Amino acid sequence: MGSADSIAANIEEGYGRGGSREYVQFLGYARGSAQETRGRFQRLVHWLPSHAVTARVALCDEIIAMLTATINTPKLSFRPRAYQMVPLIMALRQQTVRLLIADDVGVGKTIEALIIAREMLERRTVRRFSVVCLPHLCEQWQEEIRDKIGIEAVIIRSNTQARLDREIFGDVSVYQHYPFQVLSVDYVKQPGRRDVFASQCPELVIVDEAHTCARPTGASQSQHLRHDLVRRVAEVARRHVLLLTATPHSGKPEEFQSLLGLLHPDFEPLDLPAATPEQRKRLAGHFVQRRRGDVLKWMGEDTPFPVRDSGEIAYPLAPAYDAVFQRLLNFASRLVKESGGTAHTARVHYWTALGLLRGVMSSPAAGMEMLSRRIALDPLPVDDADDGTPVHDTPDGYMTDATPGETLDQVPWSESQRRILSELCRSLAALSGPKSDLKLAAAADTLIAWIKDGFQPVVFCRYLATARYVGEQLRPLIAAKIKDVQVEVVTSEDPDEIRRERVAELGKATRRVLIATDCLSEGINLQESFTAVLHYDLPWNPNRLEQREGRVDRFGQPAPTVKAFLLYGQDNPVDGIVLRVILDKVREIRRATGITVPFPEDSRSIIDSIAQAVLMNPKAGKGEQLEFDLGSVDEVAAAKTRITHRIEEAASRETATRSMFAQHAIKASEIEADLAENAAAIGDTPAVERFVTGTLTELLGVQVQRKDKGFLIHTTNLSEKLRPHLPQSATVLVSFHSPTPAGHVYLGRNHPFVEQLCQHVMARALDHQTQPGEQFAARAAVMRSSAVNSKTTLLLFRCRDVIAEKSGHVRIVAEEMLVWGYRGSPEAKDFLASDEAHALLDTARPSTALSPQSQANFLTNELSLLPALRADFDKVAEHRCQQLVAAHERYSRFFSQAAFEVVYPVLPMDVMGIYVLLPES
């Protein structure tokens, strides 16, 4: 809907044409190009003689719904789930929006944020917004903004800044010139850009993966820069800020509190367990966190998530690999025991030893690269962040699991140590391939079985070298068993856009395997093309485990079941402790409570426990003992006790937090009626389905076949205006439901094809040049039907109401279609309720033919009776005004304390259509 001023002007213009009731005015707003998002609306006014007659009654109810959607609704290309409206309600309660949306992975935080952004744009609360995200998520956000709310945003980062600057005339920055922006956090956080952005950024800022912008004690300089950026943005009191993260609490209270402080400074020192009820209530207005279980069935609406089939796959070490591992384990144990010196030096030796073990047990390739670099004391390579900050997969593996801010110095090797490491490196070179590397063999067997069962897997590796190695080795192994399988390796070595292109291209393959590092474990949506996750390397942090699996196990996944399995070495004591002590416990809690446990706050002591249990115990290398009887080794038992206690504490804390902020205070019953009424007005999924399929078959002669999961449209007879909005092929599979089945195009009510089809139907209904016998949607009809027992007249009104706050200058113009009717003669006052009229429009079909002259006579007579109903028409309009005021006042309890009153209904209502139904006898 346009602004109040523009609609008011259009109303005055329409009624200024003489007020002739011999014509029915049709006024609508059609979306143009991207400029529409800047408040530009085209106005189309059509005139049609009200006595135009056709015997054809086609798709009346659906056409009404689609007309209403085209005229009145914000341009969302999807129908939000009911639970996704809760953050919007919370946002509209606040004068300055400050929200932390921390729903589980896959629930739809992106959609919830875009709903808020679009609503604020429609209300003119803001005119611009920006999204600050990780570098590799920029393109995805740009696509989501374009696809979901029809806005074209620019990406601002190192490789686009110069081009964008050239497009700007005058002395303004990119942050001022472009109204809709997606920014790389690692580009804009730099001191030279941070201050400019903080002072000139849009009124609304959305921060994705906000946990990466937290400020824990001892944080790295990179994390300080990210936090400082968002802190400066949030310091402007009038600026609206949305923080999005599935993992707000990493287990470290100071990190979590630094995020809360971005909502309001008063929240940062808040100790939630000790907070007063009033403090918790206040914070609950800014913080929403829901598990999947909270939204599976909300307001009676099912939100399907796939069933997660999870488990572990054990593999043994081949004799040659076991010999290398035992030699390395002995070396690592001596390194730790002989470290001496300060606690810091001991910690560096712990990490060095564990890093060597993890790299060698990941793959021969990762082991060789790690040993070679350690021998040469080479610096670790960094990931592809804009500022060179290591973010993801460093081959040594230190950066992602090390305590933030901890210096991981290289160990100066003695000559004998260097010789041992060189020998180990040479030994690893002979272990590549499935005969010596039974981990690779186990992965190949698993993936082959999954592919044969119809699954499309993603394999997550910790190290770049391992990902490359696994890809090279798996291609021939899988090809020998299954034909036409495409295997692709995607790591942070590729630029962001290349990664996305390769993943998208792989998704077109009939059978596919994606091998990736953790550069794809956050933010990237893989559910449309992949249905299984294999953890080739165990993540030590449960947050990483959930992030990886959440790429495919999320809302929108069309498969009913997804797989998520861990690959671990049964002879590897590190894998044994991580799996049995940490990951198993976390999964057990998740199955029981639905809670994903954040990694406990003192992760450093947990890693120390693992190091001591493995490296300080001479019996640690005996895999069977650790695999089947962890409690028999004192150090391992002690580590298990300490770690289990901390995990259980974290689970209790997380459960309590979620109970505070699941937003149970917003009752579905309080808004259910209004949301249901809105859905009926704009067209729900069944209405869109009936409109599209019915219009194509009954009006346009297009062949449409119902299939198990959707419909098959034959595009041969589509007009040139409609054809470009579907894939260019002779047949197209479509679905009107979400999640969308694989291989189908989703057609929502604001999909370009549906909008163009609606415009096509309206244009033909209003076209004076239509030929006799040509099929088009009827605005007037007379027919005999078995659906009625007496003459029944149905009227389609366009109703306009101007609503204002009782105090203030806000004016809202509401415009909608109403269906109304009566039985017999107008004098009988036997009026139909709206739902009765809708039902007749939906079900009534002609039974016996009437001559054109009889139709014209009946219609002319009915039109002559309408002036006598003017007072009744006005009552219908006034009653609708009262309903709208009541709805606004119900919402005012959520949003603000403003009360609304009707200034005036625009009378008389316009008669958009008339349909006379006659009994069969």
Side-chain angles (χ1 to χ4, degrees):
M1 190 166 65
S3 67
D5 291 342
S6 64
I7 293 178
N10 291 332
I11 292 173
E12 293 172 1
E13 180 179 347
Y15 281 93
R17 294 179 180 244
S20 173
R21 303 324 310 167
E22 293 184 4
Y23 291 89
V24 177
Q25 175 189 359
F26 177 84
L27 175 64
Y29 297 92
R31 181 171 66 178
S33 64
Q35 281 72 25
E36 184 272 336
T37 62
R38 302 186 184 189
R40 299 179 183 178
F41 292 85
Q42 287 181 300
R43 187 181 65 215
L44 302 175
V45 180
H46 302 280
W47 296 81
L48 181 72
S50 61
H51 59 269
V53 179
T54 177
R56 182 76 176 171
V57 174
L59 312 164
C60 297
D61 193 25
E62 289 72 28
I63 291 171
I64 293 166
M66 299 312 297
L67 285 170
T68 307
T70 302
I71 294 172
N72 293 330
T73 59
K75 296 298 181 180
L76 298 177
S77 64
F78 61 97
R79 181 174 180 267
R81 318 295 293 183
Y83 72 84
Q84 291 172 333
M85 302 298 289
V86 170
L88 173 62
I89 293 172
M90 295 174 64
L92 293 178
R93 283 176 169 178
Q94 304 172 22
Q95 185 172 2
T96 300
V97 178
R98 294 292 173 94
L99 273 185
L100 174 55
I101 303 176
D103 291 340
D104 273 354
V105 173
V107 167
K109 293 179 292 298
T110 299
I111 287 177
E112 291 167 348
L114 291 179
I115 291 173
I116 294 172
R118 186 73 215 198
E119 182 68 19
M120 295 179 76
L121 288 171
E122 291 294 320
R123 290 170 175 260
R124 301 300 186 266
T125 306
V126 302
R127 296 184 179 275
R128 306 181 300 145
F129 71 83
S130 63
V131 176
V132 178
C133 62
L134 298 177
H136 63 285
L137 299 181
C138 289
E139 282 82 7
Q140 178 165 303
W141 265 103
Q142 185 184 48
E143 290 179 11
E144 292 281 2
I145 294 169
R146 178 191 303 120
D147 296 343
K148 296 295 190 299
I149 60 176
I151 288 175
E152 193 64 42
V154 298
I155 294 176
I156 302 176
R157 61 182 178 194
S158 55
N159 62 350
T160 65
Q161 175 80 58
R163 176 180 58 80
L164 294 175
D165 282 338
R166 289 194 295 270
E167 297 175 1
I168 298 174
F169 297 97
D171 187 21
V172 295
S173 71
V174 291
Y175 314 122
Q176 295 172 309
H177 180 77
Y178 296 99
F180 311 114
Q181 314 157 6
V182 178
L183 302 102
S184 159
V185 64
D186 288 327
Y187 173 75
V188 76
K189 76 183 183 186
Q190 297 304 313
R193 308 181 187 105
R194 181 180 58 213
D195 295 341
V196 177
F197 176 74
S199 64
Q200 299 180 0
C201 67
E203 310 98 287
L204 169 64
V205 177
I206 301 169
V207 182
D208 191 27
E209 304 295 348
H211 59 278
T212 65
C213 301
R215 189 204 61 242
T217 302
S220 68
Q221 184 62 25
S222 170
Q223 288 173 297
H224 273 305
L225 290 176
R226 289 182 179 182
H227 179 79
D228 194 48
L229 167 70
V230 182
R231 180 185 60 79
R232 289 174 184 247
V233 168
E235 281 178 344
V236 179
R238 66 181 182 278
R239 188 166 289 144
H240 309 281
V241 179
L242 299 179
L243 305 177
L244 314 181
T245 173
T247 54
H249 204 313
S250 66
K252 302 181 180 70
E254 65 272 20
E255 183 173 339
F256 179 56
Q257 288 170 319
S258 74
L259 286 180
L260 298 183
L262 297 174
L263 301 174
H264 194 282
D266 291 351
F267 295 150
E268 183 160 357
L270 196 60
D271 179 15
L272 286 182
T276 66
E278 184 60 34
Q279 288 174 321
R280 294 181 181 184
K281 180 180 179 181
R282 184 184 172 200
L283 178 57
H286 300 269
F287 187 10
V288 57
Q289 184 177 32
R290 294 168 294 181
R291 299 169 298 172
R292 291 186 180 188
D294 296 326
V295 302
L296 283 175
K297 195 173 185 67
W298 203 76
M299 278 183 52
E301 180 180 49
D302 291 328
T303 300
F305 289 96
V307 175
R308 186 184 299 189
D309 176 15
S310 59
E312 300 90 34
I313 301 166
Y315 66 91
L317 289 177
Y321 218 125
D322 184 54
V324 173
F325 172 69
Q326 292 299 333
R327 289 168 59 194
L328 179 61
L329 182 59
N330 291 333
F331 174 86
S333 297
R334 289 197 304 271
L335 178 66
V336 171
K337 291 176 182 178
E338 299 170 359
S339 61
T342 65
H344 172 73
T345 302
R347 190 176 311 286
V348 170
H349 285 187
Y350 277 146
W351 279 105
T352 300
L354 286 176
L356 290 172
L357 288 173
R358 294 184 79 179
V360 169
M361 295 308 294
S362 175
S363 69
M368 286 189 292
E369 181 171 335
M370 185 176 295
L371 289 169
S372 298
R373 289 187 177 277
R374 282 304 185 185
I375 293 169
L377 300 181
D378 282 346
L380 302 179
V382 297
D383 194 18
D384 188 31
D386 282 347
D387 63 343
T389 303
V391 178
H392 290 296
D393 26 72
T394 57
D396 200 88
Y398 287 167
M399 291 312 201
T400 49
D401 279 341
T403 301
E406 188 158 37
T407 304
L408 296 169
D409 304 320
Q410 299 283 19
V411 177
W413 305 114
S414 66
E415 190 59 36
S416 62
Q417 289 174 327
R418 190 184 301 275
R419 185 172 59 253
I420 293 172
L421 293 177
S422 297
E423 291 173 355
L424 289 170
C425 190
R426 287 192 296 271
S427 299
L428 282 172
L431 299 180
S432 297
K435 290 184 178 180
S436 298
D437 185 0
L438 298 185
K439 179 181 182 180
L440 176 68
D445 291 342
T446 300
L447 294 173
I448 289 169
W450 286 0
I451 295 168
K452 288 182 177 179
D453 289 339
F455 290 91
Q456 313 282 13
V458 182
V459 182
F460 277 108
C461 305
R462 178 173 179 76
Y463 305 106
L464 293 165
T466 297
R468 292 191 294 263
Y469 165 80
V470 171
E472 293 169 0
Q473 295 287 334
L474 280 181
R475 286 190 183 95
L477 292 175
I478 295 176
K481 299 289 185 178
I482 307 175
K483 295 182 179 179
D484 302 325
V485 178
Q486 187 171 339
V487 178
E488 192 69 64
V489 179
V490 175
T491 72
S492 58
E493 293 176 305
D494 299 316
D496 299 332
E497 59 273 16
I498 299 300
R499 289 184 228 167
R500 295 180 60 80
E501 289 175 7
R502 294 174 68 182
V503 171
E505 190 62 29
L506 180 61
K508 300 176 183 178
T510 304
R511 292 173 170 175
R512 49 195 175 268
V513 177
L514 172 62
I515 299 164
T517 54
D518 282 318
C519 68
L520 295 187
S521 69
E522 287 188 335
I524 299 293
N525 297 333
L526 301 176
Q527 74 273 11
E528 294 183 0
S529 301
F530 300 94
T531 55
V533 170
L534 179 64
H535 302 275
Y536 196 84
D537 296 316
L538 289 185
W540 288 14
N541 192 319
N543 296 343
R544 178 65 63 195
L545 186 77
E546 186 64 22
Q547 287 283 3
R548 288 178 176 181
E549 295 175 357
R551 297 313 96 213
V552 300
D553 182 9
R554 59 195 299 114
F555 176 70
Q557 170 60 258
T561 301
V562 297
K563 288 186 177 291
F565 276 70
L566 298 157
L567 192 62
Y568 75 99
Q570 65 187 38
D571 306 318
N572 183 343
V574 179
D575 275 6
I577 292 177
V578 171
L579 178 63
R580 297 304 178 209
V581 177
I582 298 178
L583 300 183
D584 274 3
K585 184 66 177 178
V586 167
R587 281 186 159 185
E588 175 189 335
I589 293 171
R590 187 182 187 279
R591 284 191 293 265
T593 67
I595 295 292
T596 299
V597 181
F599 208 41
E601 62 181 79
D602 47 359
S603 57
R604 180 169 56 188
S605 66
I606 288 179
I607 302 305
D608 284 348
S609 297
I610 295 173
Q612 291 177 25
V614 173
L615 300 174
M616 301 298 289
N617 192 303
K619 296 185 281 186
K622 296 183 179 179
E624 292 83 359
Q625 192 171 24
L626 286 173
E627 168 68 11
F628 297 111
D629 189 12
L630 288 173
S632 65
V633 180
D634 292 342
E635 288 82 356
V636 177
K640 180 177 181 180
T641 300
R642 289 192 298 270
I643 295 171
T644 299
H645 177 68
R646 292 178 177 89
I647 290 175
E648 289 175 347
E649 282 185 337
S652 298
R653 182 176 58 246
E654 186 74 2
T655 301
T657 300
R658 286 177 180 259
S659 68
M660 297 177 203
F661 306 116
Q663 293 308 317
H664 300 303
I666 296 177
K667 306 297 184 184
S669 59
E670 295 179 308
I671 61 173
E672 183 172 9
D674 294 310
L675 291 180
E677 183 177 339
N678 182 66
I682 65 177
D684 57 13
T685 298
V688 178
E689 179 180 307
R690 293 194 301 268
F691 168 73
V692 173
T693 58
T695 299
L696 291 178
T697 56
E698 297 186 38
L699 297 188
L700 304 183
V702 175
Q703 185 180 357
V704 179
Q705 296 174 276
R706 181 179 288 276
K707 297 294 183 180
D708 291 340
K709 298 181 179 180
F711 294 86
L712 183 70
I713 297 177
H714 296 260
T715 61
T716 304
N717 292 338
L718 286 178
S719 69
E720 292 303 317
K721 290 184 177 180
L722 292 172
R723 190 184 298 272
H725 300 293
L726 288 178
Q728 299 303 299
S729 59
T731 59
V732 178
L733 283 169
V734 302
S735 172
F736 301 91
H737 296 271
S738 180
T740 307
H744 290 63
V745 175
Y746 171 69
L747 295 183
R749 61 182 176 82
N750 279 332
H751 187 281
F753 178 80
V754 178
E755 286 195 330
Q756 187 62 45
L757 184 62
C758 186
Q759 295 292 338
H760 182 74
V761 170
M762 289 190 292
R764 293 185 64 168
L766 299 167
D767 189 357
H768 292 257
Q769 307 303 318
T770 51
Q771 300 300 316
E774 186 177 359
Q775 300 298 312
F776 58 93
R779 298 186 58 230
V782 179
M783 69 180 187
R784 294 196 182 276
S785 174
S786 60
V788 297
N789 297 319
S790 60
K791 188 194 75 168
T792 303
T793 304
L794 304 177
L795 298 170
L796 174 62
F797 294 121
R798 183 183 60 177
C799 177
R800 294 193 188 100
D801 302 294
V802 181
I803 302 175
E805 290 183 0
K806 290 181 179 178
S807 60
H809 303 287
V810 176
R811 295 291 187 272
I812 301 173
V813 178
E815 180 176 331
E816 61 182 332
M817 300 293 182
L818 295 180
V819 183
W820 186 79
Y822 57 89
R823 299 182 185 89
S825 67
E827 292 82 3
K829 306 292 184 181
D830 187 6
F831 302 131
L832 277 70
S834 180
D835 55 350
E836 293 180 273
H838 269 285
L840 282 175
L841 280 174
D842 191 28
T843 59
R845 293 293 182 270
S847 55
T848 56
L850 281 172
S851 67
Q853 186 58 49
S854 295
Q855 293 172 341
N857 290 339
F858 272 109
L859 183 61
T860 301
N861 179 68
E862 207 65 32
L863 289 172
S864 69
L865 301 176
L866 295 186
L869 288 171
R870 168 64 189 274
D872 297 294
F873 292 173
D874 291 350
K875 287 180 181 179
V876 172
E878 290 165 359
H879 178 67
R880 183 55 185 158
C881 282
Q882 294 169 3
Q883 290 179 315
L884 290 174
V885 171
H888 277 281
E889 290 187 340
R890 282 196 301 274
Y891 272 86
S892 72
R893 294 199 304 272
F894 294 114
F895 304 154
S896 66
Q897 297 304 312
F900 291 85
E901 62 181 359
V902 177
V903 176
Y904 60 88
V906 179
L907 299 175
M909 293 186 294
D910 293 327
V911 179
M912 303 298 293
I914 180 170
Y915 308 96
V916 182
L917 308 181
L918 304 174
E920 291 184 325
S921 59

